[in-house]
Amino acid sequence: MSELFNVNNGFFRTIGKIVDCIYVSILWLVCCIPVVTIGASTTALYYTVHKSIVEDNGYIFRDFKHSFCSNFKQSTIAWLILLVVGGVLGGDTFLTYQFKKTGDKAGNVFYLILLLLVILFITVTYIFPYISRFEDNMKTVFKNAIFMGFGNILLTLLMIITFAVAVYLVYVAPPLIVIVPALYMLGIEQLMERAFKKYIPQQEA
């Protein structure tokens, strides 16, 4: 009977993890409100999920605040670059598709734009977790995010599937937005860390 009410048993630990996921997801949502801070908030989300929830070696608010503040500048610049590039490619996709429908040769560029969009999406998938785990200049951050994405293509595909599932869950049940962001990061954390492994110093690994 005493084991039933032991806060360290599996049931209470699971409840605790669920509460942590809700807590950090709400922090992420609140910090995303200004829009320009989405990059810093996403970086902090991955860092907190990895350290506080997976490794159970920290405190949610403290770790989120630490990562958000320490990576704010780089994450925000990266996010704004990705946002501008995404906007340009999105507009180009629409225009070239219209050309393609009319049979104009310019429509052939549509497929190139799609390829660039794939590269952009892969970059977005890796870049904020990467910033949360490594200190590099912006050029190296973008280069490594792209190289790791294509260098671990199976892991990347699994992450994309996980992202699609997360988006679908929020679409069919919007209230799940208070927990899905953290669940998504939990879903890709092991995959991401496998991709990061070769970049982590041996003593840390």
Side-chain angles (χ1 to χ4, degrees):
M1 180 64 72
S2 61
E3 181 62 27
L4 179 62
F5 297 99
N6 184 353
V7 295
N8 291 317
N9 69 29
F11 174 76
F12 284 108
R13 286 178 62 83
T14 300
I15 294 298
K17 294 294 184 183
I18 293 173
V19 171
D20 287 344
C21 285
I22 294 174
Y23 184 19
V24 72
S25 292
I26 291 174
L27 285 174
W28 177 78
L29 280 171
V30 170
C31 292
C32 281
I33 290 174
V35 180
V36 295
T37 58
I38 289 177
S41 188
T42 304
T43 299
L45 175 63
Y46 182 85
Y47 177 84
T48 307
V49 167
H50 170 73
K51 185 177 180 183
S52 299
I53 298 179
V54 175
E55 294 192 340
D56 200 16
N57 187 30
Y59 299 92
I60 299 294
F61 182 78
R62 185 188 67 185
D63 290 336
F64 190 94
K65 179 182 178 182
H66 166 73
S67 180
F68 185 89
C69 293
S70 62
N71 296 303
F72 181 83
K73 181 179 179 180
Q74 188 171 52
S75 296
T76 301
I77 292 173
W79 165 245
L80 292 177
I81 291 172
L82 293 167
L83 193 61
V84 170
V85 172
V88 171
L89 290 179
D92 288 345
T93 301
F94 176 79
L95 289 175
T96 54
Y97 182 69
Q98 301 310 310
F99 287 130
K100 183 176 180 297
K101 285 199 303 183
T102 61
D104 194 305
K105 289 184 179 181
N108 293 330
V109 181
F110 173 75
Y111 299 104
L112 174 61
I113 302 299
L114 285 183
L115 175 60
L116 294 176
L117 281 173
V118 170
I119 295 173
L120 178 69
F121 186 78
I122 289 174
T123 304
V124 172
T125 301
Y126 278 84
I127 199 165
F128 300 114
Y130 184 92
I131 290 174
S132 79
R133 299 285 277 127
F134 304 97
E135 293 184 12
D136 276 316
N137 59 57
M138 190 64 71
K139 179 180 178 181
T140 302
V141 167
F142 272 90
K143 181 186 71 175
N144 286 346
I146 294 170
F147 284 174
M148 282 191 293
F150 284 97
N152 301 277
I153 194 65
L154 291 179
L155 298 180
T156 301
L157 288 174
L158 288 174
M159 292 183 207
I160 291 173
I161 292 171
T162 303
F163 179 78
V165 171
V167 171
Y168 177 76
L169 288 174
V170 173
Y171 175 75
V172 297
L176 290 178
I177 191 65
V178 299
I179 191 171
V180 164
L183 292 181
Y184 164 69
M185 287 303 183
L186 274 175
I188 70 167
E189 192 269 347
Q190 290 297 315
L191 302 174
M192 194 68 74
E193 292 302 311
R194 284 177 61 184
F196 288 166
K197 190 173 182 181
K198 67 181 71 172
Y199 297 87
I200 300 175
Q202 189 61 39
Q203 61 270 27
E204 181 182 343

